[in-house]
Amino acid sequence: MKRLGVERYAKSKWKFSGLVAFAADREASGRKWSLTDQTQKVRMVEADPEVAEAFGLQEGAPVYERARLVKEGDSPTHTLTSYYRPEDVEGTPLVDPTPGPAGRGGGFAVLTLQGLEPHSMAETVYARMPTPDEAELLELPSGEPVMILQRRTFTRDGQLVEFARGVHAASRFAWSYTFEIPD
């Protein structure tokens, strides 16, 4: 699976075409996708140390957790768990547990309607061995590593509106990035 880098988050994809990031990846890979390729579990949880640090909250503060499992056919490809401040997403499709994206354009479109349009992101990607639960969920063969994606999504004024962690089967993805070189 080709995993687009910066291009997967293009506003033209989610704002105008209604595509979410995993669907953009599928299309770039020449593969079909459907709304049922993504399951999700939404719940209010206590912020762990990493989530609390990202949002500048106290550890244990309430946050919404939106955990998704993405599949291609019957095969799981990755997980993505996003965290949000309750005041940013309460009553929106982001806290609706219905399988599939959070409506046309997904979470970024929802945040935009809340006056929190995503403007910039910071991503970190690294490899590690999976936990036993991750290996089982992603149906990994013994010894296969995973790629971890950490994403922070900010508004134009620098407000963090989403912190996300993804776990990807390493043998099922290649990341591609195209961007302008800063001065």
Side-chain angles (χ1 to χ4, degrees), residues 29-74:
S29 300
R31 295 181 170 158
K32 296 181 189 260
W33 66 276
S34 72
L35 295 176
T36 58
D37 288 346
Q38 176 180 297
T39 63
Q40 61 193 0
K41 180 178 180 181
V42 178
R43 61 191 181 139
M44 185 77 75
V45 299
E46 294 182 353
D48 65 30
E50 190 175 52
V51 172
E53 183 275 324
F55 281 104
L57 301 170
Q58 288 190 351
E59 190 174 331
V63 292
Y64 272 107
E65 175 187 78
R66 185 168 176 250
R68 282 99 73 205
L69 174 65
V70 181
K71 294 183 173 188
E72 184 173 14
D74 292 331

Side-chain angles (χ1 to χ4, degrees), residues 65-169:
E65 175 187 78
R66 185 168 176 250
R68 282 99 73 205
L69 174 65
V70 181
K71 294 183 173 188
E72 184 173 14
D74 292 331
S75 300
T77 59
H78 66 285
T79 66
L80 185 66
T81 304
S82 296
Y83 298 89
Y84 306 95
R85 295 180 318 155
E87 60 268 28
D88 292 343
V89 298
E90 193 71 56
T92 73
L94 280 172
V95 297
D96 179 350
T98 303
R104 182 174 165 77
F108 294 161
V110 172
L111 289 168
T112 298
L113 290 173
Q114 292 294 100
L116 301 167
E117 182 173 330
H119 176 72
S120 65
M121 294 184 185
E123 288 188 337
T124 301
V125 180
Y126 61 92
R128 66 165 168 75
M129 294 307 293
T131 67
D133 288 343
E134 291 166 344
E136 182 179 344
L137 183 63
L138 294 174
E139 300 174 7
L140 299 174
S142 180
E144 181 171 343
V146 291
M147 297 299 296
I148 305 300
L149 168 72
Q150 289 182 339
R151 177 177 78 206
R152 288 172 169 82
T153 306
F154 301 93
T155 61
R156 182 175 298 280
D157 65 2
Q159 178 184 341
L160 180 71
V161 291
E162 178 206 39
F163 175 76
R165 293 185 282 229
V167 180
H168 299 71

Side-chain angles (χ1 to χ4, degrees), residues 4-13 24 176-179:
L4 297 174
V6 176
E7 297 85 3
R8 71 193 307 264
Y9 303 122
K11 290 181 183 180
S12 61
K13 292 190 183 339
S176 299
Y177 290 89
T178 303
F179 54 93

